[in-house]
Amino acid sequence: LPAGAVTEVPGPAGNVVVVDRRGDEPRVFLTAPAACKVVADGAGFARPCAGQRWDAAGGPAAGRATPPLRRRPAGFARGDLYVLPR
C-alpha cells in the first residue's frame, strides 16, 4: 500500500477495501466491487468505468447518485492492514 496513493484491495464479505494514503493517516473505506478500481480524483475518489465519483469524505460527489464509500477503522500491524469491525 504505497504512501501518497489510493489503493483498492479485496475485502470482507464480497466488498473491496479502498485505502487512501494521501494524508498523514491512512483512511479506509468499504464499497462494492466493480469492473475497474477506485482511484484518486483530486482530493476525492472516482471509479471511471462506472461513472462514480466521491468527495474526500467518501460521500457522493455533487449531483451524483453514487452509493457512499463506507469509512471503517483500520490499523497496521507488522506491515499488514487490518480493517476493524464496527
Side-chain angles (χ1 to χ4, degrees), residues 6 22 40:
V6 172
R22 294 177 288 177

Side-chain angles (χ1 to χ4, degrees), residues 50-79:
Q52 296 174 315
R53 289 185 57 225
W54 299 271
D55 62 22
R64 301 283 178 149
T66 300
L69 298 175
R70 299 178 314 275
R71 182 96 187 252
R72 292 294 184 257
F76 286 97
R78 298 186 182 137

Side-chain angles (χ1 to χ4, degrees), residues 5-6 11 14 16 19 21 28 34 37 39 43 46-47 55-56 58-60 68 74 81 85-86:
V6 172
V16 294
V19 181
R21 295 207 52 208
V28 175
K37 294 184 176 192
V39 297
R47 185 178 270 150
D55 62 22
L81 173 71
R86 284 205 183 219

Side-chain angles (χ1 to χ4, degrees), residues 15-37:
N15 289 291
V16 294
V17 176
V18 177
V19 181
D20 182 2
R21 295 207 52 208
R22 294 177 288 177
D24 294 334
E25 295 291 324
R27 298 183 311 142
V28 175
F29 301 88
L30 290 180
T31 192
C36 65
K37 294 184 176 192

